Amino acid sequence: LGKASESLKWEAKTLHSLLGINRYQENPVYGENNSLDIDMLIIDESSMIDVRMMAQLFSAIKEGSRLILLGDSKQLPPIGAGSLFADLIELFSEHQEWNTHLSELKVCLRAESKEIIQFAEAIQKGSLKEIRLLFGKKDSGDAISRLEFSSPKRDLFDYLLSCFSGQKLTLLEAIQNFQNFAILSPLRKGPFG
């Protein structure tokens, strides 16, 4: 960008802050009658935007501004109503004249282990056969492992302790070690929740 970038003003904000939405005032600062004075807006994690927020955002963008929505339509749905980002992706991909405005990353840059990427893809496809195969692979190293417990509460606690066995750790070192792995559970309640 060179010297041109020096005249650009870049600012990072939450959507609430950008639109002037807060719990103390009834209406947002920016909307249909008061457009944002911006030329380009880039929004990350767009899959998390609910219908109400997206409508407020669209009404606040002035004519001629560029809007770039980034995100993964298959993750982090909004807490509020709707899945507008996923719906927009589907709509744009179905229309030849619109899908030129749609780009999709084909290479995952978030995970170093190909087994984790394969596992995520198998889950997205709902392929139980592929998931079982990945759990059964002996050459996946430590990327994916299936834990079988006969007594869930006790065995899980013992497993977590075994991850640090023989180590005298400070609290900070223990917290840092916990960031080296994750145990995911599809349950909210019970011994695995």
Side-chain angles (χ1 to χ4, degrees), residues 157-165:
F157 183 71
D158 289 343
Y159 173 76
L160 290 172
L161 286 178
S162 75
C163 293
F164 304 106
S165 64

Side-chain angles (χ1 to χ4, degrees), residues 45-104:
E45 300 294 356
S46 297
S47 64
M48 297 175 64
I49 305 172
D50 64 23
V51 172
R52 186 181 216 169
M53 178 69 78
M54 195 69 87
Q56 188 65 42
L57 174 66
F58 287 165
S59 72
I61 295 175
K62 72 178 181 182
E63 191 174 329
S65 293
R66 299 252 177 175
L67 175 64
I68 300 172
L69 300 173
L70 304 172
D72 185 342
S73 62
K74 295 179 182 84
Q75 70 177 177
L76 298 172
I79 294 171
S83 57
L84 197 56
F85 183 70
D87 294 343
L88 285 170
I89 299 287
E90 186 177 335
L91 180 68
F92 273 59
S93 60
E94 290 174 356
H95 290 81
Q96 186 92 27
E97 66 275 12
W98 295 350
N99 72 10
T100 58
H101 300 288
L102 190 62
S103 294
E104 183 179 0

